[in-house]
Amino acid sequence: MLKKCPLVLASALLLATSAQAQNIPKHVAAEATALRDQAMHDTIAFDLVESLSMEVGPRSAGSAGDKAAVAWAVQKLTELGFENVHTEEVDVPHWDRGTLNANIVTPFVRSLVATSLGGSPGTPADGIEAEVVRVESLVGLRALSNDELVGKILYVDHEMQRAKDGGGYSTAGRIRTCAHYIAAERGALATVIRSAGTSEHRVAHTGTMLNKDIPPTIPAIALANADADMLTYQVQSGKPVSMSLLSTAQHRPREKSANVIGEIQGQGDLAHEVVLLAAHLDSWDLGTGAIDDGAGVAIVTAAAKMIMNSGDAPRRTIRVVLFANEEFGLDGAKEYERNHAASIKDHVIGIEADFGAGRVWRFSSQVADDALGLVDEIHALLAPIGLERGNNKAGGGADLSPMRKVGMPVFSITHDGTYYFDYHHTPDDTLDKINRDDLNQSVAAYVTVAFVAANIRDDFGRLQPYTRRERTCSAEDDNWVS
Amino acid sequence: MLKKCPLVLASALLLATSAQAQNIPKHVAAEATALRDQAMHDTIAFDLVESLSMEVGPRSAGSAGDKAAVAWAVQKLTELGFENVHTEEVDVPHWDRGTLNANIVTPFVRSLVATSLGGSPGTPADGIEAEVVRVESLVGLRALSNDELVGKILYVDHEMQRAKDGGGYSTAGRIRTCAHYIAAERGALATVIRSAGTSEHRVAHTGTMLNKDIPPTIPAIALANADADMLTYQVQSGKPVSMSLLSTAQHRPREKSANVIGEIQGQGDLAHEVVLLAAHLDSWDLGTGAIDDGAGVAIVTAAAKMIMNSGDAPRRTIRVVLFANEEFGLDGAKEYERNHAASIKDHVIGIEADFGAGRVWRFSSQVADDALGLVDEIHALLAPIGLERGNNKAGGGADLSPMRKVGMPVFSITHDGTYYFDYHHTPDDTLDKINRDDLNQSVAAYVTVAFVAANIRDDFGRLQPYTRRERTCSAEDDNWVS
């Protein structure tokens, strides 16, 4: 249990601590450690992700599932005893995947496992049938002669590799968002990509195709890896390859969704300051959003609930924000930054869980330089459960980016992403992919960090606000490192 | 190279061999060993399964793919230099999977990954919507009270476990073929089963629902494991669960298919005797039939081709038979037995490859008792590549069963089936699941056994012909061990 010490006792404790642990009072470290170890055997997080994925399931922006998820979150946060539970309305797009038929027509007929990319227009009602032009990269695409794509279907055959930090997603994601734009400019009728994922199974990977240039104007689909193999085999036979596509994807009228917020209100002179725990409530529609981002919802909610249960109120307010529509435009995050513009200065730290349910292995930060000693002390509490200390260039997660840009410091508690992109954005994102022990180890890290951040006097400073030029689909931006 | 020794030299060699190796002449063993080792680095088998799965792909009985497969096999066997390449017509059913929509309607709406079982009738045009009754086994199904299924959808939630010998498929397969029969007798509208497979991915497992009792009268579908989890979760919530099904599955007019046959003709006094190498050419329609049974086609064809390339003709004729419609009625095998009834007595051994592309680990037999010493000698040639000696109760494979019943001895060269049922009968049965080294190790075993069987004087005797009572869907037959 957290016991707030009288000042004199706290001072005595501080004197007794080592030089390396001068910022975290001993009793705070002790309580954080106890919560950390308790989390390893808890059931809250799994129960939450089970309920969300099994009872709500798919919940893409604007869908009926999205509305059901908002209602689910309000009910859960209320039942769990959070304070100030409320929604903040967010205007979201509503893209409807419809149905898709994708086939190789010549030389060897084959029905393909494929899915439309988020935001893709449908095909004409009688479909598209055209010859396929294959490239392996955006560089290869740009190297085609100007008329080579006119009336054709572009096929970008880039194979994403597994990596612990998910690093392969950067290139694969850029192909997903930019190939269709470049192809459309050159007169292509449609774009086909090998899935921006690492699954060896017959599931295709969706994800947004939006970029900063123009709205999608030609249909774009992703093939399962085995199906991309089939298409590549046929192209490499040297015979002309043609495909047919028939898609009923379409944009529907915009809908209302909401960020869902619950708090553990702080007590005392720091109560107006906020430790922001974030995840996103929406998911893509193919799976049940168990790992993306049901796991994140469960991890941050469970961490906060454990702090709530641990005794006295924290010094700072712990605010759980479950963001609307991360996947297809980051609308919830942007709306939150607008709604709370005046008080972002009081958000002392933001921590988002949005990289699956693997074991967490790295703790990195983006904080003021003079707070790095404090971050090292927090890391010392995480090292026993297997976390390395990362650098001070943490991104903090997509939903936190609007707040980070105006100065909010962030932590990244990074999950092992080796197999994340086997499941992410595919029908395979289901509850059975979550290991309870790994999930609990993540909760243990989050509860430790959140508890310390909410219960110390020190903070993490502020970041320099910045306005970043948005990356475009021009060649100059291909090697942009964010 | 195989060199046929003059009798006097052969006798001298025999005198020089140990008591344990008296049946296989030394030069035959040496040549078999050389072929075995050569097979480990060959490319024929992979090239064949690549071509069949990539160029023909799905080829269920009666489909256009089935006809393409027959043409492919004739062309390949001819190109490879087989003799007496020909087809033998087989009359086959033509079941059309059509489309399927399967949803949980209450309490929590969910679209399910599911597939119709082979032979299922479709639903009425406006579908079926009804309450779900869940059981875990045929015993549980039989224990329901008589009216409990009237107007309901039966759900059999049996979870198949992985095993090296694929042992779990027996129970799961019996549920697939019998649950719908029992449910229909009791007034159920449809049957839903958890897939008779072990995949953790969002793919459903098809397979025949035919049994010896009555033709299927109600629709039957299988759910992917994750989707079965979803349905089970909802049933276990205690609230009434209802599902909707809409299927356009139907039987079409019967079609003509064919067994495709190629030989390496024997030379000398044993040339009329046959070493039968078998696989099946058809596949289910969801995947591309790479492991079931493209791998088998490749393994037996490659083994025979290696013997063809090795030099002189074998003493016995090596006959490769690629059977029609194993999956949905065993029509090709039955037709072969009828066509060749008079000469089955000259089939000295049958060996089928139809258990995927995993490494082979066991060599078992069903031969006359006085041939067991010879079988042990053959096993001694396989032990160095990792094969255990199995018992003398080998089944030999489904396609060989009609011939086995009239006395043909069989071998089983058993693949590691631990992951076979992750892919088998699912969309995931694609080329990328095949490991070249494992495939070659299988070819090594087949070429060794086939070469020896075709080049020794001894044979494996005959089996007692038998007529087995067909297993029915009655409770007394639930524990039948075949």
Side-chain angles (χ1 to χ4, degrees):
Chain A
M1 302 286 283
L2 168 66
K3 299 292 177 199
K4 293 219 175 135
C5 303
L7 186 59
V8 58
L9 177 56
S11 301
L13 283 167
L14 272 172
L15 288 173
T17 58
S18 72
Q20 287 73 36
Q22 57 191 332
N23 296 298
I24 306 179
K26 211 169 191 174
H27 70 280
V28 172
E31 180 70 4
T33 303
L35 285 169
R36 180 196 74 195
D37 296 343
Q38 182 190 329
M40 301 295 259
H41 308 285
D42 209 295
T43 61
I44 306 175
F46 192 86
D47 290 349
L48 282 167
V49 67
E50 178 179 66
S51 173
L52 178 57
S53 61
M54 287 297 197
E55 297 174 16
V56 177
R59 47 194 184 277
S60 57
S63 68
D66 187 19
K67 289 175 174 53
V70 169
W72 175 91
V74 169
Q75 186 185 336
K76 282 289 170 188
L77 292 179
T78 304
E79 283 174 5
L80 290 170
F82 283 85
E83 298 163 279
N84 192 23
V85 175
H86 67 285
T87 61
E88 296 182 356
E89 190 175 90
V90 180
D91 183 67
V92 297
H94 182 201
W95 175 76
D96 179 348
R97 179 177 308 283
T99 59
L100 172 66
N101 274 290
N103 301 281
I104 304 175
V105 178
T106 59
F108 308 113
V109 178
R110 190 64 38 88
S111 173
L112 298 171
V113 174
T115 197
S116 292
L117 294 177
S120 175
T123 61
D126 56 350
I128 290 171
E129 186 170 326
E131 195 176 325
V132 172
V133 176
R134 174 180 174 270
V135 299
E136 293 182 357
S137 64
L138 293 182
V139 172
L141 169 56
R142 292 196 172 93
L144 294 176
S145 64
N146 266 337
D147 56 354
E148 223 161 334
L149 281 176
V150 176
K152 305 285 176 62
I153 294 172
L154 169 69
Y155 168 40
V156 189
D157 185 15
H158 168 77
E159 195 165 343
M160 180 176 159
Q161 301 300 315
R162 291 197 184 101
K164 192 172 182 180
D165 67 357
Y169 192 56
S170 173
T171 300
R174 183 159 172 79
I175 289 169
R176 191 179 70 210
T177 54
C178 287
H180 69 90
Y181 167 72
I182 302 166
E185 276 198 325
R186 295 172 174 226
L189 301 181
T191 300
V192 176
I193 65 170
R194 184 185 281 268
S195 280
T198 54
S199 177
E200 295 165 353
H201 299 277
R202 208 90 182 271
V203 290
H205 178 280
T206 192
T208 183
M209 62 189 283
L210 302 182
N211 62 51
K212 296 298 162 191
D213 294 294
I214 53 165
T217 56
I218 59 174
I221 70 166
L223 303 180
N225 265 314
D227 298 80
D229 291 348
M230 293 177 206
L231 181 56
T232 298
Y233 179 92
Q234 299 210 13
V235 171
Q236 292 178 339
S237 75
K239 297 169 185 151
V241 175
S242 63
M243 286 183 69
S244 67
L245 303 177
L246 180 62
S247 160
T248 61
Q250 61 177 305
H251 291 275
R252 294 187 179 278
R254 294 181 73 87
E255 293 276 349
K256 298 300 178 192
S257 182
N259 295 329
V260 181
I261 299 175
E263 294 181 342
I264 310 170
Q265 285 173 347
Q267 204 162 48
D269 60 336
L270 301 183
H272 64 291
E273 293 187 352
V274 172
V275 171
L276 177 61
L277 295 182
H280 66 84
L281 191 53
D282 67 306
S283 76
W284 279 109
D285 52 331
L286 298 175
T288 61
I291 66 163
D292 185 15
D293 186 26
V297 167
I299 290 165
V300 298
T301 305
K305 170 66 177 169
M306 291 186 70
I307 295 173
M308 185 199 305
N309 287 355
S310 72
D312 295 339
R315 298 177 74 165
R316 296 190 170 102
T317 292
I318 294 175
R319 181 178 295 166
V320 172
V321 182
L322 307 179
F323 286 103
N325 191 29
E326 186 271 347
E327 296 292 2
F328 195 51
L330 224 59
D331 292 306
K334 293 171 184 167
E335 184 66 25
Y336 182 89
E337 195 276 328
R338 281 192 292 270
N339 283 350
H340 298 266
S343 67
I344 300 293
K345 66 177 181 355
D346 298 322
H347 289 53
V348 297
I349 196 76
I351 322 170
E352 178 165 22
D354 183 22
F355 197 55
R359 292 183 80 78
V360 292
W361 65 283
R362 190 172 63 190
F363 176 59
S364 45
S365 57
Q366 191 173 165
V367 301
D369 285 348
D370 58 7
L372 286 172
L374 172 57
V375 177
D376 288 342
E377 285 180 45
I378 297 175
H379 171 251
L381 302 175
L382 300 174
I385 57 168
L387 278 81
E388 300 173 9
R389 175 72 176 102
N391 63 21
N392 197 37
K393 296 175 179 172
D399 284 310
L400 298 185
S401 59
M403 284 66 84
R404 194 189 67 220
K405 287 178 186 171
V406 296
M408 181 183 74
V410 295
F411 291 144
S412 284
I413 301 175
T414 309
H415 300 263
D416 186 330
T418 308
Y419 297 102
Y420 182 54
F421 292 102
D422 279 32
Y423 308 126
H424 172 261
H425 294 193
T426 77
D428 248 346
D429 180 359
T430 51
L431 183 68
D432 50 303
K433 307 311 181 305
I434 296 182
N435 176 291
R436 287 171 185 260
D437 291 339
D438 293 349
L439 187 71
N440 280 345
Q441 185 254 10
S442 299
V443 176
Y446 277 80
V447 74
T448 304
V449 177
F451 182 84
V452 172
N455 284 290
I456 55 175
R457 167 147 294 280
D458 291 338
D459 60 32
F460 306 97
R462 301 300 294 170
L463 306 179
Q464 261 328 318
Y466 64 100
T467 310
R468 194 170 67 173
R469 182 174 75 79
E470 296 283 4
R471 182 156 79 157
T472 70
C473 286
S474 74
E476 299 79 62
D477 289 349
D478 274 354
N479 297 315
W480 186 301
V481 177
S482 63
Chain B
M1 300 289 282
L2 169 66
K3 299 291 177 199
K4 292 218 174 140
C5 304
L7 186 60
V8 58
L9 178 55
S11 301
L13 281 167
L14 272 171
L15 288 172
T17 58
S18 71
Q20 287 72 36
Q22 57 191 334
N23 296 298
I24 306 179
K26 212 169 190 175
H27 70 280
V28 173
E31 180 69 6
T33 303
L35 285 169
R36 179 195 75 195
D37 295 343
Q38 182 190 329
M40 300 296 257
H41 307 286
D42 209 293
T43 61
I44 306 176
F46 192 86
D47 290 349
L48 283 167
V49 67
E50 178 179 64
S51 173
L52 178 56
S53 60
M54 286 297 196
E55 298 174 18
V56 178
R59 47 194 184 276
S60 57
S63 69
D66 187 18
K67 290 175 173 52
V70 169
W72 175 93
V74 169
Q75 186 185 336
K76 282 289 171 190
L77 293 179
T78 304
E79 284 173 3
L80 290 170
F82 283 86
E83 298 164 279
N84 192 22
V85 175
H86 67 284
T87 60
E88 296 182 356
E89 190 175 88
V90 180
D91 183 67
V92 296
H94 183 203
W95 175 76
D96 179 348
R97 179 177 307 284
T99 59
L100 172 65
N101 273 290
N103 300 281
I104 303 175
V105 178
T106 59
F108 308 113
V109 177
R110 191 62 41 86
S111 173
L112 298 171
V113 173
T115 198
S116 292
L117 295 178
S120 175
T123 61
D126 56 350
I128 291 171
E129 185 171 327
E131 195 176 324
V132 172
V133 176
R134 174 180 174 270
V135 299
E136 294 182 357
S137 64
L138 293 182
V139 173
L141 168 56
R142 292 195 171 94
L144 293 176
S145 66
N146 266 337
D147 56 354
E148 223 161 335
L149 281 176
V150 177
K152 305 287 175 60
I153 294 173
L154 169 69
Y155 169 40
V156 189
D157 185 15
H158 168 78
E159 194 165 343
M160 180 176 159
Q161 302 300 314
R162 291 196 183 101
K164 191 171 183 180
D165 67 356
Y169 193 55
S170 173
T171 300
R174 181 156 173 81
I175 288 169
R176 191 180 69 210
T177 53
C178 287
H180 68 90
Y181 167 72
I182 303 166
E185 277 198 324
R186 293 171 175 226
L189 301 180
T191 300
V192 175
I193 65 169
R194 184 185 283 268
S195 279
T198 54
S199 178
E200 294 165 352
H201 299 276
R202 208 89 182 272
V203 290
H205 177 282
T206 191
T208 184
M209 61 189 282
L210 301 182
N211 62 51
K212 296 298 162 191
D213 292 295
I214 52 164
T217 55
I218 60 173
I221 70 168
L223 303 180
N225 265 314
D227 299 80
D229 290 347
M230 293 177 206
L231 181 55
T232 298
Y233 179 92
Q234 298 210 15
V235 171
Q236 291 179 339
S237 74
K239 297 169 185 152
V241 174
S242 64
M243 286 183 69
S244 67
L245 303 177
L246 180 62
S247 160
T248 62
Q250 61 178 306
H251 291 273
R252 295 186 177 279
R254 294 181 72 87
E255 294 277 349
K256 298 299 177 193
S257 183
N259 294 330
V260 182
I261 299 174
E263 294 180 344
I264 311 170
Q265 284 172 348
Q267 205 161 51
D269 60 336
L270 302 182
H272 65 291
E273 293 188 350
V274 173
V275 170
L276 177 61
L277 296 181
H280 67 83
L281 191 53
D282 66 308
S283 76
W284 278 108
D285 52 330
L286 298 175
T288 62
I291 66 165
D292 185 15
D293 187 25
V297 168
I299 290 165
V300 298
T301 306
K305 171 66 177 168
M306 291 187 71
I307 295 172
M308 185 198 306
N309 288 355
S310 72
D312 295 339
R315 299 177 75 164
R316 296 190 170 103
T317 292
I318 294 176
R319 181 177 295 168
V320 172
V321 182
L322 307 179
F323 286 102
N325 192 29
E326 185 271 347
E327 296 293 2
F328 195 51
L330 224 58
D331 291 307
K334 292 172 184 166
E335 185 66 26
Y336 182 90
E337 195 277 327
R338 281 191 293 269
N339 282 351
H340 298 266
S343 67
I344 299 292
K345 65 177 179 357
D346 297 323
H347 288 52
V348 297
I349 195 77
I351 322 171
E352 178 165 24
D354 183 21
F355 198 54
R359 293 184 79 78
V360 294
W361 65 283
R362 191 173 61 190
F363 176 59
S364 45
S365 57
Q366 190 173 167
V367 301
D369 285 349
D370 58 8
L372 286 172
L374 173 57
V375 177
D376 287 343
E377 286 180 44
I378 296 175
H379 172 252
L381 301 175
L382 300 174
I385 56 168
L387 279 79
E388 299 172 8
R389 176 72 175 102
N391 62 22
N392 197 37
K393 295 175 180 173
D399 284 310
L400 298 184
S401 59
M403 284 66 85
R404 194 189 67 220
K405 287 178 186 171
V406 295
M408 181 182 76
V410 295
F411 290 144
S412 284
I413 301 175
T414 310
H415 300 263
D416 186 330
T418 308
Y419 297 102
Y420 182 54
F421 292 101
D422 279 32
Y423 308 127
H424 172 264
H425 294 194
T426 77
D428 247 347
D429 180 359
T430 52
L431 184 68
D432 51 303
K433 307 310 182 304
I434 295 182
N435 176 291
R436 286 172 185 259
D437 292 339
D438 292 349
L439 187 72
N440 280 345
Q441 184 254 9
S442 298
V443 176
Y446 277 80
V447 75
T448 305
V449 176
F451 182 85
V452 171
N455 283 291
I456 54 176
R457 168 147 291 284
D458 292 336
D459 60 31
F460 306 98
R462 301 300 292 171
L463 306 180
Q464 261 328 318
Y466 66 99
T467 309
R468 193 168 69 172
R469 183 173 73 81
E470 296 283 4
R471 183 157 81 157
T472 69
C473 285
S474 73
E476 300 80 62
D477 289 351
D478 275 352
N479 297 314
W480 185 302
V481 177
S482 62

